[in-house]
mmCIF file of all heavy atoms in Angstrom:
data_model
loop_
_atom_site.group_PDB
_atom_site.id
_atom_site.type_symbol
_atom_site.label_atom_id
_atom_site.label_comp_id
_atom_site.label_asym_id
_atom_site.label_seq_id
_atom_site.Cartn_x
_atom_site.Cartn_y
_atom_site.Cartn_z
ATOM 1 N N THR A 11 -113.708 -151.389 -192.999
ATOM 2 C CA THR A 11 -113.313 -152.704 -193.501
ATOM 3 C C THR A 11 -113.953 -153.814 -192.665
ATOM 4 O O THR A 11 -114.441 -154.820 -193.195
ATOM 5 C CB THR A 11 -111.780 -152.848 -193.466
ATOM 6 O OG1 THR A 11 -111.201 -151.824 -194.275
ATOM 7 C CG2 THR A 11 -111.347 -154.214 -193.980
ATOM 8 N N GLU A 13 -116.732 -153.583 -190.976
ATOM 9 C CA GLU A 13 -118.157 -153.617 -191.281
ATOM 10 C C GLU A 13 -118.417 -154.432 -192.545
ATOM 11 O O GLU A 13 -119.364 -155.213 -192.617
ATOM 12 C CB GLU A 13 -118.696 -152.197 -191.437
ATOM 13 C CG GLU A 13 -118.827 -151.442 -190.122
ATOM 14 C CD GLU A 13 -119.403 -150.050 -190.306
ATOM 15 O OE1 GLU A 13 -119.771 -149.712 -191.453
ATOM 16 O OE2 GLU A 13 -119.488 -149.309 -189.312
ATOM 17 N N ALA A 27 -132.094 -163.651 -196.507
ATOM 18 C CA ALA A 27 -133.117 -163.890 -195.491
ATOM 19 C C ALA A 27 -132.933 -162.945 -194.315
ATOM 20 O O ALA A 27 -133.883 -162.424 -193.753
ATOM 21 C CB ALA A 27 -133.050 -165.347 -195.009
ATOM 22 N N GLU A 36 -125.701 -153.453 -188.159
ATOM 23 C CA GLU A 36 -126.378 -152.595 -187.196
ATOM 24 C C GLU A 36 -126.023 -153.006 -185.772
ATOM 25 O O GLU A 36 -125.870 -152.155 -184.882
ATOM 26 C CB GLU A 36 -127.899 -152.663 -187.403
ATOM 27 C CG GLU A 36 -128.703 -151.780 -186.464
ATOM 28 C CD GLU A 36 -128.495 -150.294 -186.698
ATOM 29 O OE1 GLU A 36 -127.855 -149.922 -187.703
ATOM 30 O OE2 GLU A 36 -128.963 -149.503 -185.863
ATOM 31 N N ARG A 39 -122.645 -151.421 -185.015
ATOM 32 C CA ARG A 39 -122.714 -149.982 -184.740
ATOM 33 C C ARG A 39 -123.361 -149.692 -183.395
ATOM 34 O O ARG A 39 -122.934 -148.777 -182.674
ATOM 35 C CB ARG A 39 -123.477 -149.289 -185.875
ATOM 36 C CG ARG A 39 -122.715 -149.308 -187.197
ATOM 37 C CD ARG A 39 -123.588 -148.909 -188.350
ATOM 38 N NE ARG A 39 -122.851 -148.953 -189.615
ATOM 39 C CZ ARG A 39 -123.425 -148.951 -190.804
ATOM 40 N NH1 ARG A 39 -124.746 -148.924 -190.894
ATOM 41 N NH2 ARG A 39 -122.689 -148.979 -191.906
ATOM 42 N N ARG A 71 -132.279 -165.070 -184.194
ATOM 43 C CA ARG A 71 -131.072 -165.833 -183.884
ATOM 44 C C ARG A 71 -130.910 -167.062 -184.777
ATOM 45 O O ARG A 71 -129.798 -167.514 -185.047
ATOM 46 C CB ARG A 71 -131.071 -166.248 -182.413
ATOM 47 C CG ARG A 71 -129.678 -166.683 -181.960
ATOM 48 C CD ARG A 71 -129.586 -166.928 -180.500
ATOM 49 N NE ARG A 71 -128.216 -167.320 -180.143
ATOM 50 C CZ ARG A 71 -127.893 -167.898 -178.999
ATOM 51 N NH1 ARG A 71 -128.829 -168.132 -178.085
ATOM 52 N NH2 ARG A 71 -126.648 -168.234 -178.765
ATOM 53 N N LYS A 82 -119.534 -163.322 -183.828
ATOM 54 C CA LYS A 82 -119.085 -162.822 -182.521
ATOM 55 C C LYS A 82 -117.622 -162.399 -182.576
ATOM 56 O O LYS A 82 -117.235 -161.381 -182.000
ATOM 57 C CB LYS A 82 -119.311 -163.886 -181.443
ATOM 58 C CG LYS A 82 -120.767 -164.061 -181.056
ATOM 59 C CD LYS A 82 -120.953 -164.932 -179.830
ATOM 60 C CE LYS A 82 -120.538 -166.363 -180.064
ATOM 61 N NZ LYS A 82 -120.847 -167.222 -178.902
ATOM 62 N N GLU A 96 -110.690 -144.667 -180.198
ATOM 63 C CA GLU A 96 -111.163 -143.641 -179.270
ATOM 64 C C GLU A 96 -110.280 -143.513 -178.026
ATOM 65 O O GLU A 96 -110.561 -142.698 -177.159
ATOM 66 C CB GLU A 96 -112.608 -143.953 -178.837
ATOM 67 C CG GLU A 96 -113.616 -143.990 -179.970
ATOM 68 C CD GLU A 96 -113.775 -142.630 -180.635
ATOM 69 O OE1 GLU A 96 -113.596 -141.605 -179.946
ATOM 70 O OE2 GLU A 96 -114.071 -142.589 -181.846
ATOM 71 N N LEU A 101 -110.628 -153.423 -169.359
ATOM 72 C CA LEU A 101 -110.037 -154.241 -168.302
ATOM 73 C C LEU A 101 -109.571 -155.588 -168.839
ATOM 74 O O LEU A 101 -108.708 -156.238 -168.242
ATOM 75 C CB LEU A 101 -111.045 -154.447 -167.170
ATOM 76 C CG LEU A 101 -111.461 -153.177 -166.427
ATOM 77 C CD1 LEU A 101 -112.525 -153.502 -165.390
ATOM 78 C CD2 LEU A 101 -110.260 -152.516 -165.764
ATOM 79 N N LEU A 107 -121.323 -161.894 -176.324
ATOM 80 C CA LEU A 107 -122.127 -163.097 -176.104
ATOM 81 C C LEU A 107 -123.470 -162.904 -176.792
ATOM 82 O O LEU A 107 -123.899 -161.772 -177.027
ATOM 83 C CB LEU A 107 -122.344 -163.336 -174.609
ATOM 84 C CG LEU A 107 -121.093 -163.389 -173.728
ATOM 85 C CD1 LEU A 107 -121.485 -163.454 -172.262
ATOM 86 C CD2 LEU A 107 -120.232 -164.581 -174.108
ATOM 87 N N THR A 123 -124.467 -154.481 -171.121
ATOM 88 C CA THR A 123 -123.028 -154.253 -170.987
ATOM 89 C C THR A 123 -122.576 -154.575 -169.575
ATOM 90 O O THR A 123 -123.321 -154.387 -168.612
ATOM 91 C CB THR A 123 -122.664 -152.787 -171.302
ATOM 92 O OG1 THR A 123 -123.262 -151.936 -170.316
ATOM 93 C CG2 THR A 123 -123.141 -152.397 -172.688
ATOM 94 N N GLU A 137 -113.651 -170.266 -168.343
ATOM 95 C CA GLU A 137 -114.641 -170.017 -167.325
ATOM 96 C C GLU A 137 -114.968 -168.522 -167.295
ATOM 97 O O GLU A 137 -114.171 -167.696 -167.714
ATOM 98 C CB GLU A 137 -114.114 -170.449 -165.950
ATOM 99 C CG GLU A 137 -113.822 -171.929 -165.843
ATOM 100 C CD GLU A 137 -113.320 -172.280 -164.466
ATOM 101 O OE1 GLU A 137 -113.793 -171.683 -163.492
ATOM 102 O OE2 GLU A 137 -112.443 -173.151 -164.357
ATOM 103 N N PRO A 152 -136.189 -152.574 -172.134
ATOM 104 C CA PRO A 152 -136.166 -152.266 -170.705
ATOM 105 C C PRO A 152 -136.882 -153.312 -169.871
ATOM 106 O O PRO A 152 -137.836 -153.932 -170.323
ATOM 107 C CB PRO A 152 -136.896 -150.923 -170.614
ATOM 108 C CG PRO A 152 -136.813 -150.353 -171.987
ATOM 109 C CD PRO A 152 -136.836 -151.529 -172.912
ATOM 110 N N GLN A 159 -121.804 -156.827 -163.458
ATOM 111 C CA GLN A 159 -120.811 -156.525 -162.436
ATOM 112 C C GLN A 159 -120.176 -155.205 -162.793
ATOM 113 O O GLN A 159 -119.617 -155.050 -163.866
ATOM 114 C CB GLN A 159 -119.725 -157.598 -162.385
ATOM 115 C CG GLN A 159 -118.586 -157.247 -161.407
ATOM 116 C CD GLN A 159 -117.630 -158.400 -161.271
ATOM 117 O OE1 GLN A 159 -118.037 -159.543 -161.226
ATOM 118 N NE2 GLN A 159 -116.356 -158.103 -161.202
ATOM 119 N N GLU A 165 -112.292 -147.995 -157.358
ATOM 120 C CA GLU A 165 -111.329 -148.800 -158.115
ATOM 121 C C GLU A 165 -110.797 -148.047 -159.322
ATOM 122 O O GLU A 165 -109.681 -148.274 -159.769
ATOM 123 C CB GLU A 165 -111.980 -150.111 -158.573
ATOM 124 C CG GLU A 165 -112.201 -151.101 -157.459
ATOM 125 C CD GLU A 165 -112.894 -152.340 -157.968
ATOM 126 O OE1 GLU A 165 -114.103 -152.283 -158.240
ATOM 127 O OE2 GLU A 165 -112.210 -153.375 -158.102
ATOM 128 N N LEU A 166 -111.627 -147.149 -159.874
ATOM 129 C CA LEU A 166 -111.217 -146.408 -161.056
ATOM 130 C C LEU A 166 -110.635 -145.038 -160.724
ATOM 131 O O LEU A 166 -110.331 -144.253 -161.602
ATOM 132 C CB LEU A 166 -112.412 -146.226 -161.998
ATOM 133 C CG LEU A 166 -112.995 -147.522 -162.562
ATOM 134 C CD1 LEU A 166 -114.198 -147.214 -163.438
ATOM 135 C CD2 LEU A 166 -111.957 -148.296 -163.343
ATOM 136 N N TYR A 182 -133.511 -139.709 -149.346
ATOM 137 C CA TYR A 182 -132.967 -141.068 -149.263
ATOM 138 C C TYR A 182 -131.602 -141.067 -149.940
ATOM 139 O O TYR A 182 -131.472 -140.665 -151.098
ATOM 140 C CB TYR A 182 -133.906 -142.047 -149.963
ATOM 141 C CG TYR A 182 -133.433 -143.482 -149.996
ATOM 142 C CD1 TYR A 182 -133.781 -144.375 -148.993
ATOM 143 C CD2 TYR A 182 -132.636 -143.941 -151.052
ATOM 144 C CE1 TYR A 182 -133.345 -145.696 -149.037
ATOM 145 C CE2 TYR A 182 -132.210 -145.253 -151.096
ATOM 146 C CZ TYR A 182 -132.565 -146.119 -150.093
ATOM 147 O OH TYR A 182 -132.129 -147.417 -150.133
ATOM 148 N N GLY A 230 -147.551 -146.261 -165.043
ATOM 149 C CA GLY A 230 -146.414 -145.741 -165.780
ATOM 150 C C GLY A 230 -145.534 -144.786 -164.990
ATOM 151 O O GLY A 230 -145.707 -144.598 -163.770
ATOM 152 N N LYS A 236 -142.089 -136.181 -169.048
ATOM 153 C CA LYS A 236 -142.185 -137.018 -170.240
ATOM 154 C C LYS A 236 -142.373 -138.474 -169.841
ATOM 155 O O LYS A 236 -141.608 -139.011 -169.035
ATOM 156 C CB LYS A 236 -140.921 -136.868 -171.092
ATOM 157 C CG LYS A 236 -140.955 -137.670 -172.385
ATOM 158 C CD LYS A 236 -139.679 -137.452 -173.187
ATOM 159 C CE LYS A 236 -139.688 -138.270 -174.473
ATOM 160 N NZ LYS A 236 -138.439 -138.066 -175.258
ATOM 161 N N ARG A 240 -137.728 -146.023 -169.538
ATOM 162 C CA ARG A 240 -136.362 -146.055 -169.041
ATOM 163 C C ARG A 240 -135.716 -144.712 -169.371
ATOM 164 O O ARG A 240 -135.910 -144.172 -170.464
ATOM 165 C CB ARG A 240 -135.577 -147.199 -169.706
ATOM 166 C CG ARG A 240 -134.090 -147.243 -169.404
ATOM 167 C CD ARG A 240 -133.452 -148.364 -170.224
ATOM 168 N NE ARG A 240 -131.999 -148.298 -170.166
ATOM 169 C CZ ARG A 240 -131.247 -148.966 -169.298
ATOM 170 N NH1 ARG A 240 -131.806 -149.751 -168.419
ATOM 171 N NH2 ARG A 240 -129.935 -148.846 -169.310
ATOM 172 N N LYS A 242 -132.052 -142.111 -168.552
ATOM 173 C CA LYS A 242 -130.790 -141.785 -167.893
ATOM 174 C C LYS A 242 -130.991 -140.502 -167.107
ATOM 175 O O LYS A 242 -131.582 -139.537 -167.601
ATOM 176 C CB LYS A 242 -129.688 -141.612 -168.940
ATOM 177 C CG LYS A 242 -128.302 -141.433 -168.359
ATOM 178 C CD LYS A 242 -127.282 -141.376 -169.494
ATOM 179 C CE LYS A 242 -125.863 -141.237 -168.954
ATOM 180 N NZ LYS A 242 -124.868 -141.201 -170.052
ATOM 181 N N LEU A 251 -143.929 -140.891 -160.088
ATOM 182 C CA LEU A 251 -144.554 -142.208 -159.955
ATOM 183 C C LEU A 251 -145.907 -141.992 -159.300
ATOM 184 O O LEU A 251 -145.979 -141.515 -158.161
ATOM 185 C CB LEU A 251 -143.693 -143.143 -159.098
ATOM 186 C CG LEU A 251 -142.226 -143.314 -159.502
ATOM 187 C CD1 LEU A 251 -141.525 -144.259 -158.528
ATOM 188 C CD2 LEU A 251 -142.107 -143.831 -160.926
#
Side-chain angles (χ1 to χ4, degrees):
T11 301
E13 287 182 4
E36 181 67 9
R39 292 167 181 164
R71 196 173 181 197
K82 286 190 294 185
E96 299 295 330
L101 296 176
L107 306 173
T123 65
E137 297 180 36
Q159 175 173 320
E165 287 178 286
L166 297 178
Y182 178 91
K236 182 179 179 180
R240 173 184 170 94
K242 187 176 182 179
L251 307 179

